Amino acid sequence: MEANKVVPQPQADFQQPDQQAAAAQQQAFNTVLARMVNLSQTALKAESLEKAASTIVNKIHTLVKTERAVLVPLSGRKRIVAISGDLEPSEDNPFSQAVHEIRKRYRTVQEPTVISSEEVPAESDLPNAAKVLSSMGGTNILWLPIPDPAGDEPRYALWLERWNKRPWLPEEIRILSHALVFWGHALETRRKKKRGKVSTKRGLALALILFVLLLCVPVYSRVSAPVQIVPDHPHYVFAPFDGIVEELAVEPGEKVRAGDLIFRYDTRVLEQRLEEARQSVAVARAELARLEGAAYMDEEARARIPVQKLEVERKQSEVAFIQTQLDLSDVRSETEGVVVLDDPDALIGASLQTGQMVLRIADPAQTKLRIMVPVTDAGLVTDDAPVRVRLDSDPLRAIPATVERVGFDVTVSDERIPTVMVEGVWDGNVAVTPGQRGTARIQGPKILLGLQIFRKPFMTVRTTLGL
């Protein structure tokens, strides 16, 4: 029975080689067609001309292989609209010069054209284009003018590169020619949206006249600069002796009263010194007692008694001095106010020297302004000039103040800008916690509006040109 069993054979592929090739070719064509439709739809849906152009040059490789794609406007100063790889188009380099030379020669050509180094030799009048065509082992450029939907002259052209002298096939050019129709609609629609309503020449002239007249209107100059609220006549807390800070009992902005603990020294070294000093006093007193007992019989001991008494007094003075330092190790506030301290973490464990300023205690009702005005604007600031201050903590509130003093020394701000310090006072009673920051707008003398707007650009141009 096993011998007579029929084993099923796999079905043979009865398709002929020509049919297989035709099917594969049709499938490839359908794939390219689907990609072309997808690319065209994406370009038509783009929000702007730049996005539509970027979509075309960055996705055209899905249709044909190309090392670089560029969308070139055939008129105007702009030489490149978009370049593949999301590169920023530059108008001042040899490649943009080459693009300009090619478009100048081929802008009237309305048919796809392959440009090679044979057509543009090195000794031609297109030096930059010749360098591009001879680079990368030989570059073949496919120049594709994009038809205008309205039937006018083409406004754009595609620049497609292949390196190492790889040719452009007629089938590839034919596929791209079909896609150019859709891309022309995408670019023209985006261009019209970007252009919008174009004003007439009369309207432009009128707007220019009004703009010039507006620039001649006199206005008060304005100087904006960063401001910091600082205490006015604060109480300074100094280090009473050399030592290390063990504990900080207050925080920046905390209200304290007279007698409140501010910070405490590390007293371990002092306590050890005090114990050693007390032992030295006991030893000196014992020696004095011995000398006084031996003075009846020993004339030398009797002579050393005054010296030993002085030694006992010196040791006792040392104990009293160390005890005084221990009593001062708890530093307390001598007045009432708010603690002003920039970096509390840096103070803990810090080594202080006698007389070193540790922190400040300020009265919140007595503050002033410290405005860091750039040197370029210092000439517009005068004494008694009105000031409007907007703090970062309350940016919608404008607090009035007045310039009290304009400094002369030039310092460098945190932003590395040469500045002059301007001090100001509040108009009226204003309770603002010291340490706050914001922006101050100082009113200067009257100048033309155009000078107020273009003063700094003029300064930049003058500095750049050395005028």
Side-chain angles (χ1 to χ4, degrees):
M1 297 297 293
E2 294 293 333
N4 297 329
K5 185 176 179 180
V6 179
V7 179
Q9 298 293 330
Q11 294 181 355
D13 190 358
F14 295 102
Q15 291 184 341
Q16 299 298 324
D18 294 341
Q19 293 177 348
Q20 292 179 355
Q25 185 177 5
Q26 183 63 36
Q27 184 178 0
F29 178 78
N30 293 337
T31 301
V32 172
L33 182 60
R35 292 175 179 176
M36 182 179 67
V37 172
N38 183 38
L39 174 56
S40 301
Q41 287 180 343
T42 305
L44 287 169
K45 293 178 181 179
E47 300 175 355
S48 62
L49 173 64
E50 289 76 12
K51 289 186 178 181
S54 178
T55 299
I56 294 172
V57 298
N58 285 308
K59 292 187 177 182
I60 197 171
H61 67 87
T62 59
L63 301 182
V64 294
K65 292 183 178 181
T66 178
E67 275 73 24
R68 178 163 50 188
V70 184
L71 183 65
V72 182
L74 297 180
S75 61
R77 293 186 177 182
K78 193 171 184 179
R79 298 173 179 176
I80 298 175
V81 178
I83 187 170
S84 58
D86 291 328
L87 299 177
E88 185 68 23
S90 176
E91 303 295 331
D92 188 19
N93 56 31
F95 181 74
S96 66
Q97 295 287 345
V99 172
H100 177 65
E101 293 172 358
I102 292 296
R103 78 168 182 175
K104 188 175 181 181
R105 170 172 289 190
Y106 291 94
R107 66 175 50 176
T108 58
V109 177
Q110 299 188 10
E111 297 294 332
T113 304
V114 177
I115 307 171
S116 61
S117 57
E118 287 75 9
E119 297 185 13
V120 182
E123 62 274 6
S124 66
D125 57 348
L126 310 178
N128 294 285
K131 290 180 180 180
V132 171
L133 292 170
S134 61
S135 62
M136 309 308 293
T139 299
N140 287 333
I141 300 174
L142 178 58
W143 179 262
L144 295 172
I146 300 178
D148 185 79
D152 298 333
E153 295 292 328
R155 299 179 184 273
Y156 304 98
L158 272 175
W159 164 305
L160 305 181
E161 294 184 13
R162 277 188 176 172
W163 300 340
N164 298 320
K165 294 185 178 180
R166 290 174 52 230
W168 288 96
L169 303 178
E171 295 79 6
E172 296 173 326
I173 299 176
R174 185 164 55 252
I175 291 173
L176 292 173
S177 299
H178 292 302
L180 291 177
V181 178
F182 301 101
W183 298 344
H185 282 279
L187 296 175
E188 184 64 19
T189 304
R190 302 290 88 76
R191 187 184 70 85
K192 290 182 177 179
K193 287 184 178 180
K194 181 179 179 181
R195 180 177 58 187
K197 296 182 179 179
V198 181
S199 302
T200 61
K201 293 183 179 180
R202 181 178 298 178
L204 290 175
L206 180 60
L208 181 61
I209 293 173
L210 292 177
F211 179 70
V212 173
L213 294 177
L214 185 63
L215 295 180
C216 297
V217 175
V219 296
Y220 284 104
S221 59
R222 296 286 189 272
V223 175
S224 294
V227 61
Q228 182 180 8
I229 311 304
V230 296
D232 191 12
H233 304 296
H235 174 74
Y236 295 92
V237 178
F238 300 96
F241 58 88
D242 295 353
I244 297 176
V245 178
E246 179 184 28
E247 178 186 358
L248 181 63
V250 294
E251 296 180 357
E254 180 180 347
K255 292 184 179 180
V256 296
R257 297 181 180 179
D260 289 350
L261 178 64
I262 301 176
F263 66 92
R264 178 179 288 114
Y265 278 94
D266 185 354
T267 59
R268 290 175 294 181
V269 176
L270 288 176
E271 290 173 354
Q272 182 179 358
R273 288 176 55 194
L274 179 61
E275 183 63 25
E276 294 174 353
R278 286 173 177 172
Q279 292 177 3
S280 298
V281 170
V283 172
R285 284 178 176 176
E287 179 65 18
L288 178 61
R290 188 190 68 80
L291 292 174
E292 289 177 346
Y296 296 101
M297 301 296 294
D298 189 352
E299 183 178 351
E300 182 180 354
R302 187 168 53 249
R304 290 177 55 190
I305 289 176
V307 177
Q308 190 63 29
K309 286 183 178 180
L310 291 175
E311 180 67 15
V312 172
E313 291 179 359
R314 188 180 68 83
K315 297 293 184 179
Q316 289 176 341
S317 299
E318 184 177 353
V319 170
F321 175 74
I322 298 176
Q323 185 62 52
T324 302
Q325 286 187 322
L326 279 173
D327 295 338
L328 295 175
S329 61
D330 288 349
V331 181
R332 300 183 180 277
S333 174
E334 298 179 2
T335 184
E336 181 179 356
V338 175
V339 176
V340 180
L341 181 62
D342 294 332
D343 191 358
D345 294 333
L347 187 59
I348 300 175
S351 178
L352 302 181
Q353 297 180 354
T354 303
Q356 178 181 344
M357 199 274 288
V358 180
L359 51 82
R360 293 168 291 173
I361 298 178
D363 185 356
Q366 296 182 3
T367 56
K368 61 181 179 180
L369 312 176
R370 181 173 294 168
I371 310 171
M372 303 306 293
V373 178
V375 174
T376 54
D377 298 330
L380 299 176
V381 181
T382 58
D383 293 340
D384 301 327
V387 183
R388 291 284 178 176
V389 179
R390 296 184 183 273
L391 302 176
D392 294 340
S393 59
D394 190 7
L396 299 180
R397 178 190 177 193
I399 307 175
T402 303
V403 172
E404 184 181 42
R405 184 180 68 86
V406 180
F408 299 97
D409 296 333
V410 178
T411 58
V412 179
S413 65
D414 297 339
E415 292 77 16
R416 312 300 300 172
I417 299 176
T419 56
V420 173
M421 188 184 70
V422 175
E423 292 187 353
V425 295
W426 302 109
D427 293 346
N429 296 325
V430 179
V432 180
T433 306
Q436 296 194 58
R437 296 178 180 268
T439 304
R441 190 184 66 181
I442 306 174
Q443 179 177 304
K446 280 190 174 182
I447 59 175
L448 298 180
L449 177 60
L451 184 59
Q452 172 70 14
I453 297 175
F454 299 108
R455 180 173 62 89
K456 291 185 178 181
F458 285 161
M459 292 169 51
T460 304
V461 173
R462 184 189 64 185
T463 304
T464 304
L465 300 180
L467 300 178

